[in-house]
């Protein structure tokens, strides 16, 4: 994976950044603390894997809704672009030569990156991009943890998945076996005594026959009582109907009486209107004469003065701008000339010429605006003759003339409103006289109608009183018939339902007992069938237990680790041999315990002229070379699973090293750069940064961090 270009938007301390890495070979990232050096390397990991040592939300620049990282890189001779966005939603995409490699989904992009580069984020952080203090992370691991990491992150990790599947299958099979045995025990408990069950069935049938006879007797009695109840219900219905008729007649009588009272009140009101209403005439309204104004001409005069005032102000503003432009140019022209410190000649660069041109353009534009404003004012003043407008000599007289014209318009509008009010008063007086005549005629017609209605209501009242009298008699006769019909002791309503429920319970019990009798034979057959299933499940449990052992750490993966470790050893020693004489690395996968057994491990041993011993017993400079060799060995192995070549290597700070350790680190980096196209290291150590042929300077400003390449 060879970095080509990194684009950042609102990521960490960067607002916008476009970093070209295509020419970087061996470079140091330098800058003050917090400027964003480590952020550049972190952004590459985030673009590839969507992961970092810190939460992704923490990289959103303050005040921004989200961040975006676009990383262009080369792998296997192809150019790829990985894009990640993080905010309220997470987006990801991966394309090769502008063609999508997979669906634009985070999960699909993650899988495609792992397949392309041959490692996940954990492997990338241990072999390609070393975070702060991670140069010796692999060597510092506990041997058992180191081997677990190797199994989990390298190709033999698939055997762990097979082991989990085998364990899951064994668990499910054991659960099924337990369930089958429980089912067999449950079925055995369901076996019953056939003779005792037959006796229960016979007793239930006898009770069922007795219950049927009792139910028939209850139903006959219920039918007789139902006929008597129907007769009494008919009489009660007649009483209710008579009562409803009586109440309706009483309500009608009251309604008619109330209508007579209301009609009498309406008649009295109409007669009062007839006695009080009279004819009126419209009162005389004094004629008034109003002066007529030409409002349109007055409005045009106001607009003329208003435009004159605006043009006057524009001319003054243009003149002020013209003076300001002239003064600015004079200040620039008065500045001392710049001269060359070597030859003493005057410096007249493009920037100076652009400034002179700018001031000239501004001066010409300001003078043009003064001329245009003056011409527009003169033309407008000349157009006031038709409106009889006196041209103002200054801004004060222009505003006074505008005020006088506006006062004239206001006086004209007041006269017009007074004239309209006088006309409105004349029309209202005439309408009042007409309404008086209409009210008298309407009152006379209403009085005559109310008198006729009183005659009709009195006749209706007499009829209603007669109907109410007859309804009361009918109600009294019906009530007498109901009282004469006496009710005897009735069958309880729950007697028949209880008898039927008892009979149904007996039938259900009989059916249940018969079903148990029939199911007894089926239970025996099921028990026999379960015996064969239990035998098969036990055999499968034994087979899966054997597979779990085979797929476990001590099985097939342990044998594969031997081959993988040998490959990593070879890659690491190839690199170590380029700048070290007599040092070699060996990874020991098994160790004999004191009791004589073999224990799985992954010990890191280093051999020199004095023998073989753990890495902890070597000097700082030797540790740096060994740790570098291991990191490169892991990187080459992981790359062989992807594009097959280590094209980039980055280190984010290193642990405290003495002068010899720094020298060894610089030597390692230069040797590495001969085989790896792009090597980056973040460092605050001046001697280390100065030893790199290229620098990437990161500076932080108010508008965000900036990156400058020194290649």
């Amino acid at each position: 994976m060879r970095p080509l270009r990194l684009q950042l938007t609102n990521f960490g301390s960067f607002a916008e950044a476009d970093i070209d890495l295509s020419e970087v070979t061996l470079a140091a990232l330098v800058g003050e603390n917090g400027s964003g050096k480590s952020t550049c390397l972190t952004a590459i990991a985030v673009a590839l894997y969507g992961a970092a040592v810190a939460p992704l939300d923490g990289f959103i620049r303050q005040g921004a809704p989200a961040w975006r990282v676009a990383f262009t890189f080369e792998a296997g001779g192809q150019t790829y672009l990985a894009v990640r966005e993080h905010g309220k939603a997470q987006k990801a995409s991966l394309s090769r030569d502008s063609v999508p490699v997979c669906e634009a989904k985070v999960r699909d992009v993650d899988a495609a990156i792992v397949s392309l580069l041959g490692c996940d984020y954990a492997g990338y952080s241990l072999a390609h991009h070393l975070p702060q203090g991670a140069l010796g992370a692999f060597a510092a691991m506990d041997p058992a943890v180191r081997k677990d990491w190797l199994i989990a992150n390298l190709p033999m990790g698939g055997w762990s998945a097979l082991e989990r599947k085998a364990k899951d299958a064994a668990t499910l099979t054991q659960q099924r076996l337990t369930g089958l045995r429980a089912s067999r025990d449950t079925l055995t408990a369901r076996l019953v005594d056939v003779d005792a069950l037959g006796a229960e069935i016979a007793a239930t049938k006898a009770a069922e026959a007795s219950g049927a006879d009792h139910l028939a007797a209850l139903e006959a009695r219920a039918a007789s009582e139902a006929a008597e109840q129907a007769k009494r219900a008919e009489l009660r219905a007649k009483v209710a109907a008579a009562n409803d008729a009586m109440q309706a007649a009483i309500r009608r009588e009251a309604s008619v009486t109330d209508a007579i009272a209301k009609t009498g009140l309406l008649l009295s009101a109409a007669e009062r209107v007839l006695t009080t209403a009279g004819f009126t005439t419209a009162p005389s309204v004094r004629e008034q004469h109003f002066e007529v104004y030409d409002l349109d001409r007055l409005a045009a005069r106001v607009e003329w003065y208003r435009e004159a005032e605006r043009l006057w102000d524009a001319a003054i503003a243009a003149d002020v701008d013209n003076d300001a432009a002239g003064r600015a140019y004079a200040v620039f022209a008065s500045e001392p000339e710049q001269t060359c410190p070597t030859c003493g000649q005057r410096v007249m660069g493009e920037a100076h010429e652009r400034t002179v041109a700018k001031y000239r353009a501004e001066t010409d534009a300001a003078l043009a605006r003064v001329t245009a404003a003056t011409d527009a004012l003169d033309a407008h003043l000349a157009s006031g003759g038709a409106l009889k407008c006196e041209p103002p000599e200054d801004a004060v007289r222009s505003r006074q003339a505008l005020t006088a014209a506006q006062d004239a318009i206001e006086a004209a509008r007041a006269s017009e409103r007074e004239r309209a009010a006088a006309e409105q008063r004349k029309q209202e007086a005439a309408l009042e006289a007409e309404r008086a005549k209409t009210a008298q005629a309407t009152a006379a017609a209403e009085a005559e109608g109310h008198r006729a209605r009183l005659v009709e209501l009195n006749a209706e009242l007499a009829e209603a009183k007669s109907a109410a009298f007859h309804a009361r008699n009918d109600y009294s006769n019906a009530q007498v018939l109901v009282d004469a019909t006496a009710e005897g002791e009735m069958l309880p309503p729950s007697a028949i339902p209880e008898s039927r429920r008892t009979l149904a319970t007996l039938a259900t019990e009989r059916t249940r007992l018969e079903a148990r009798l029939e199911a007894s034979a089926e239970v025996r057959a099921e028990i026999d069938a379960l015996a064969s299933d239990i035998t098969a499940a036990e055999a499968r449990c034994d087979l899966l237990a054997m597979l779990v052992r085979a797929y476990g750490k001590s099985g097939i993966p342990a044998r594969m680790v031997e081959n993988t470790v040998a490959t990593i050893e070879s890659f690491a020693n190839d690199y170590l041999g380029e700048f070290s004489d007599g040092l070699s690395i060996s990874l020991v996968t098994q160790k004999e315990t004191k009791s004589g057994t073999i224990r799985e491990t992954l010990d890191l041993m280093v051999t020199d002229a004095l023998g073989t011993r753990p890495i902890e017993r070597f000097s700082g400079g030797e540790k740096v070379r060994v740790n570098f060799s291991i990191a490169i060995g892991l990187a080459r192995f992981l790359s062989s699973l992807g594009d097959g070549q280590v094209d980039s290597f980055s280190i984010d700070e290193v642990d405290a090293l003495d002068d010899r350790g720094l020298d060894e680190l610089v030597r390692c980096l230069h040797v590495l750069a001969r085989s790896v196209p792009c090597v980056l290291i973040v460092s605050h150590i001046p001697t280390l940064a100065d030893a790199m042929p290229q620098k990437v300077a990161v500076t932080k400003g108010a508008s965000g961090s900036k990156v400058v390449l020194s290649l």
Side-chain angles (χ1 to χ4, degrees):
M1 185 274 296
R2 170 68 165 94
L4 299 177
R5 184 182 185 187
L6 179 63
Q7 297 167 285
L8 307 177
T9 302
N10 294 324
F11 188 84
S13 59
F14 293 91
E16 289 288 344
D18 191 346
I19 307 171
D20 185 2
L21 300 173
S22 59
E23 300 298 326
V24 174
T25 56
L26 176 57
L29 278 79
V30 297
E32 297 180 353
N33 286 332
S35 60
K37 304 183 299 299
S38 299
T39 302
C40 295
L41 300 183
T42 302
I44 295 176
V46 169
L48 293 174
Y49 295 97
V53 294
L56 296 182
D57 290 339
F59 292 105
I60 299 177
R61 182 175 169 81
Q62 186 175 6
W67 56 252
R68 182 179 186 273
V69 177
F71 179 52
T72 305
F73 62 96
E74 182 181 346
Q78 302 288 333
T79 301
Y80 294 84
L81 173 61
V83 180
R84 300 269 183 173
E85 296 182 30
H86 183 85
K88 291 184 178 180
Q90 289 75 42
K91 299 179 181 179
S93 64
L94 179 64
S95 58
R96 179 179 59 245
D97 297 328
S98 301
V99 179
V101 175
C102 59
E103 293 289 333
K105 297 179 180 178
V106 174
R107 179 177 57 189
D108 294 339
V109 172
D110 291 344
I113 289 292
V114 172
S115 176
L116 177 64
L117 303 184
C119 61
D120 58 6
Y121 176 69
Y124 178 80
S125 299
L126 196 61
H128 289 279
H129 165 61
L130 303 183
Q132 293 186 11
L135 178 60
F138 187 79
M141 287 182 180
D142 181 84
V145 175
R146 189 184 298 129
K147 188 167 187 178
D148 290 341
W149 181 91
L150 194 63
I151 293 175
N153 290 277
L154 298 182
M156 68 284 295
W159 294 105
S160 299
L162 291 175
E163 180 186 14
R164 288 194 300 272
K165 290 182 179 179
K167 286 182 177 179
D168 293 342
T171 301
L172 293 176
T173 304
Q174 185 60 45
Q175 292 174 350
R176 182 171 180 271
L177 177 59
T178 302
L180 290 173
R181 289 170 176 169
S183 299
R184 181 187 60 188
D185 297 340
T186 302
L187 291 174
T188 302
R190 287 171 55 188
L191 294 176
V192 298
D193 187 351
V194 177
D195 295 336
L197 194 58
E200 288 185 28
I201 292 173
T204 303
K205 288 182 177 179
E208 191 176 357
S210 175
D213 295 340
H214 180 65
L215 177 61
L218 291 177
E219 289 176 342
R221 180 181 173 184
S224 175
E225 291 178 352
E228 294 178 1
Q229 288 288 348
K231 184 177 179 181
R232 284 193 290 272
E234 184 179 356
L235 291 175
R236 291 192 183 93
K238 289 181 179 180
V239 171
N243 182 59
D244 293 342
M246 178 182 69
Q247 297 298 330
I250 293 173
R251 287 194 296 273
R252 183 187 176 200
E253 181 181 353
S255 175
V256 173
T257 302
D258 184 58
I260 289 173
K262 290 180 179 179
T263 304
L265 293 174
L266 293 174
L267 179 59
S268 299
E271 289 174 347
R272 282 196 300 274
V273 172
L274 286 173
T275 57
T276 57
F279 292 101
T280 61
T281 59
S284 63
V285 178
R286 180 171 61 86
E287 294 292 334
Q288 298 179 3
H289 298 281
F290 302 93
E291 183 179 355
V292 178
Y293 293 86
D294 188 352
L295 291 177
D296 293 338
R297 191 175 187 81
L298 289 174
R301 186 176 298 172
V302 169
E303 290 300 323
W304 188 91
Y305 279 113
R306 189 172 291 159
E307 179 64 14
E309 182 180 4
R310 186 189 67 78
L311 291 174
W312 192 279
D313 293 339
I316 293 174
D319 191 51
V320 171
D321 292 343
N322 186 28
D323 290 342
R327 285 194 301 272
Y329 181 70
V331 170
F332 173 75
S334 65
E335 292 180 353
E337 297 180 351
Q338 296 181 3
T339 58
C340 177
T342 303
C343 63
Q345 293 183 357
R346 182 183 176 187
V347 178
M348 298 290 288
E350 293 182 2
H352 182 274
E353 295 298 330
R354 284 197 300 270
T355 305
V356 171
K358 183 190 74 168
Y359 281 120
R360 287 176 179 171
E362 290 178 354
T363 304
D364 294 343
L367 182 60
R369 287 197 295 273
V370 171
T371 302
T374 305
D375 293 344
L377 179 60
D378 293 341
H380 184 72
L381 294 177
S383 67
L387 299 175
K388 296 181 179 181
C389 297
E390 181 181 354
E393 296 178 358
D394 54 23
V396 175
R397 291 191 60 189
S398 176
R399 292 187 178 90
Q400 291 174 350
L402 174 61
T403 303
Q406 290 175 338
D407 293 342
I409 287 182
E410 186 60 32
R413 288 175 178 168
S415 176
E416 181 66 21
R417 288 195 296 271
E418 184 61 28
R419 186 182 64 80
E423 184 65 25
Q424 180 68 23
R425 288 194 294 273
K426 289 175 63 178
Q427 293 178 0
E428 290 177 353
L431 289 175
E432 184 64 27
E434 187 65 27
R435 282 197 294 270
K437 292 179 182 180
T438 303
Q440 188 177 26
T442 302
E446 289 180 353
E448 186 62 29
H450 293 329
R451 292 189 186 96
R453 178 60 178 161
L454 280 174
V455 174
E456 295 176 358
L457 289 175
N458 285 323
E460 188 176 350
L461 178 60
E463 182 182 350
K465 288 181 178 180
S466 176
F469 174 78
H470 290 295
R472 288 188 181 92
N473 286 338
D474 292 342
Y475 175 73
S476 300
N477 294 334
Q479 188 63 44
V480 170
L481 290 176
V482 172
D483 294 340
T485 305
E487 295 186 9
E489 184 179 357
M490 303 294 291
L491 184 69
S494 61
I496 292 178
E498 287 180 357
S499 180
R500 286 176 178 167
R501 283 196 295 271
T502 301
L503 189 60
T505 301
L506 291 171
T508 301
E509 180 65 15
R510 174 178 53 80
T511 302
R512 186 184 67 81
L513 293 173
E514 290 175 347
R516 286 186 63 191
L517 188 61
E518 293 176 358
S520 181
E522 296 177 359
V523 169
R524 175 58 63 184
E526 291 180 14
I527 291 174
D528 295 340
L530 283 175
S532 59
D533 292 342
I534 290 173
T535 301
E538 290 173 345
R540 181 173 174 76
C541 283
D542 295 339
L543 176 61
L544 290 173
M546 181 182 66
L547 290 177
V548 168
R549 291 191 297 271
Y551 296 150
K553 295 180 181 179
S554 301
I556 298 174
R559 307 289 77 80
M560 293 187 66
V561 166
E562 300 291 338
N563 296 329
T564 301
V565 165
T567 303
I568 296 174
E569 255 182 31
S570 175
F571 285 151
N573 284 320
D574 287 345
Y575 179 72
L576 186 59
E578 292 187 31
F579 58 86
S580 175
D581 295 330
L583 284 179
S584 64
I585 300 170
S586 60
L587 296 172
V588 180
T589 59
Q590 291 183 339
K591 188 175 184 179
E592 184 177 358
T593 63
K594 294 180 179 180
S595 60
T597 60
I598 300 299
R599 178 172 62 87
E600 296 295 330
T601 184
L602 190 60
D603 290 332
L604 174 59
M605 305 300 290
V606 181
T607 302
D608 63 359
L610 299 178
T612 301
R613 56 193 185 278
I615 187 174
E616 292 81 6
R617 296 174 60 183
F618 284 81
S619 65
E622 291 171 327
K623 288 180 181 178
V624 170
R625 284 180 280 170
V626 171
N627 288 329
F628 243 95
S629 301
I630 293 173
I632 298 304
L634 287 171
R636 289 184 62 184
F637 182 79
L638 293 173
S639 297
S640 68
L641 305 178
D643 57 28
Q645 184 177 353
V646 181
D647 291 328
S648 68
F649 194 82
S650 59
I651 306 173
D652 189 359
E653 299 288 353
V654 293
D655 293 334
L657 298 176
D658 55 15
D659 292 340
R660 182 178 179 183
L662 289 175
D663 293 340
E664 292 291 347
L665 179 60
V666 170
R667 183 183 177 192
C668 290
L669 291 173
H670 279 274
V671 172
L672 179 62
R674 293 202 297 265
S675 58
V676 176
C678 180
V679 179
L680 295 169
I681 179 168
V682 174
S683 179
H684 290 99
I685 304 173
T687 56
L688 179 59
D690 293 340
M692 299 297 105
Q694 299 174 330
K695 289 184 181 180
V696 179
V698 184
T699 59
K700 187 174 183 180
S703 60
S705 296
K706 303 296 181 183
V707 177
V708 178
L709 303 179
S710 298
L711 306 178

